[in-house]
Amino acid sequence: MTAPAVELLGRPDRWPVDPIDAVECARTTLIRVYRGIEGVQAVIEPDVAYGTTGAPFIPFNSVTGARFTDAAADDRIDSVLAWFRERSMPVGWWLGPRDRPADLEARLLARGLHVDDEGVPAMARALDPGESLSDDAPEGLTVEPVRDLATFREQTEVIGAGFGAPPWLADQMLKFAGLGFDQASPAQNYLARLDDRPVGGSLGLMAGDVLGIYNVAVVPAARGRGIGRAVTLAALRDGLARGCRLAVLESTAMGHSIYVGLGFRDVATYRVLASQDWR
């Protein structure tokens, strides 16, 4: 994964790890880590990775890293889509700058998928072993690693509320407690409390040199107080302590300025194509 230089958005730069490879490595690792949990199914092959959590919610049913040859593309696409259809699950197909073939999006649209998200910024930040990640969290805010089921339940409820997800999603996310809460686990969850009230959360996923940051969410009533920054910093600190050299994430429009303030840069733009509901 190491690359001395890569071309990003028209300008050369140096990174400790190729950031686009890192984004896809983190997303594939997320699928791999969760596939041992009851109800989660995943397939990781040399030319694509995909999986479902068993919840009919597009973000929980994804395809990533397609590297199909022109000759095999149609059969491979049909095989992946049939896998989701057999399970009565929707699909969110992530399209990035290195996906192949070049006309992959057109082929997916021809099969009835539609553009669910026009452009998701993927962002990266180098992690320097000598740096200090300062925190200017507001008074009354604490961020703790999730170490038990009760705290994890609070975090899932916060994430669901922060993303405006269906009410049943928090219960679905509880299955991920099957990974346990060990400090050595590659997946580390964080919960922020403001004056003892759960208000924010995040997930840090360690994948070798790469730290993937996911599920950064703040309940609507507590936004604008630095909570998203604080839960992102919690993941960054742990990743730095465990030897990660590059942090990556996929940003919402709401969170983009927060991540820029933490030193992240845009490295690519992804589009998400989704299936119609074929259940």
Side-chain angles (χ1 to χ4, degrees):
M1 284 180 61
T2 303
V6 292
E7 186 72 14
L8 302 175
L9 303 183
R11 54 181 294 185
D13 206 341
R14 284 189 173 273
W15 295 89
V17 177
D18 182 311
I20 299 175
D21 281 356
V23 169
E24 299 193 357
C25 169
R27 197 181 300 125
T28 300
T29 300
L30 193 66
I31 294 172
R32 180 180 293 112
V33 165
Y34 285 138
R35 69 178 172 180
I37 295 172
E38 183 178 358
V40 177
Q41 300 178 63
V43 178
I44 298 175
E45 297 176 321
D47 60 351
V48 71
Y50 51 97
T52 175
T53 66
F57 187 55
I58 287 172
F60 280 23
N61 297 273
S62 64
V63 183
T64 190
R67 302 291 189 274
F68 303 146
T69 64
D70 285 336
D74 286 335
D75 287 343
R76 297 295 288 127
I77 292 167
D78 290 340
S79 174
V80 172
L81 295 181
W83 188 90
F84 285 93
R85 189 179 291 109
E86 288 163 4
R87 289 157 178 78
S88 298
M89 289 293 147
V91 57
W93 195 306
W94 287 73
L95 295 174
R98 295 182 184 164
D99 283 5
R100 295 292 180 270
D103 64 347
L104 178 57
E105 179 170 346
R107 297 188 194 216
L108 293 173
L109 292 172
R111 286 164 169 79
L113 273 68
H114 64 276
V115 178
D116 188 63
D117 199 318
E118 288 284 353
V120 180
M123 307 182 76
R125 181 199 194 280
L127 294 172
D128 183 342
E131 73 175 306
S132 175
L133 294 169
S134 61
D135 189 0
D136 52 356
E139 185 177 351
L141 183 72
T142 60
V143 180
E144 62 187 278
V146 173
R147 293 287 177 257
D148 56 61
L149 181 59
T151 308
F152 186 60
R153 182 182 293 275
E154 291 180 296
Q155 192 223 28
T156 61
E157 291 173 352
V158 161
I159 290 172
F163 284 117
W168 49 261
L169 186 63
D171 287 338
Q172 283 284 331
M173 290 178 68
L174 285 176
K175 69 174 66 177
F176 300 139
L179 289 175
F181 306 108
D182 191 283
Q183 189 172 358
S185 170
Q188 296 291 313
N189 290 281
Y190 307 90
L191 176 68
R193 300 182 191 273
L194 183 63
D195 299 328
D196 294 326
R197 292 179 296 106
V199 292
S202 65
L203 164 66
L205 181 74
M206 321 302 181
D209 288 345
V210 176
L211 167 69
I213 300 178
Y214 300 95
N215 292 350
V216 176
V218 179
V219 298
R223 290 174 182 161
R225 304 186 192 182
I227 297 167
R229 173 185 172 87
V231 293
T232 305
L233 275 168
L236 285 172
R237 288 196 193 93
D238 275 1
L240 185 60
R242 291 176 60 170
C244 295
R245 301 169 62 205
L246 191 81
V248 295
L249 54 81
E250 290 132 15
S251 177
T252 62
M254 185 184 304
H256 193 267
S257 63
I258 295 171
Y259 302 133
V260 170
L262 287 169
F264 284 86
R265 284 185 49 196
D266 289 359
V267 295
T269 299
Y270 284 77
R271 287 163 64 83
V272 181
L273 269 62
S275 65
Q276 303 291 342
D277 188 346
W278 47 40
R279 290 177 293 146

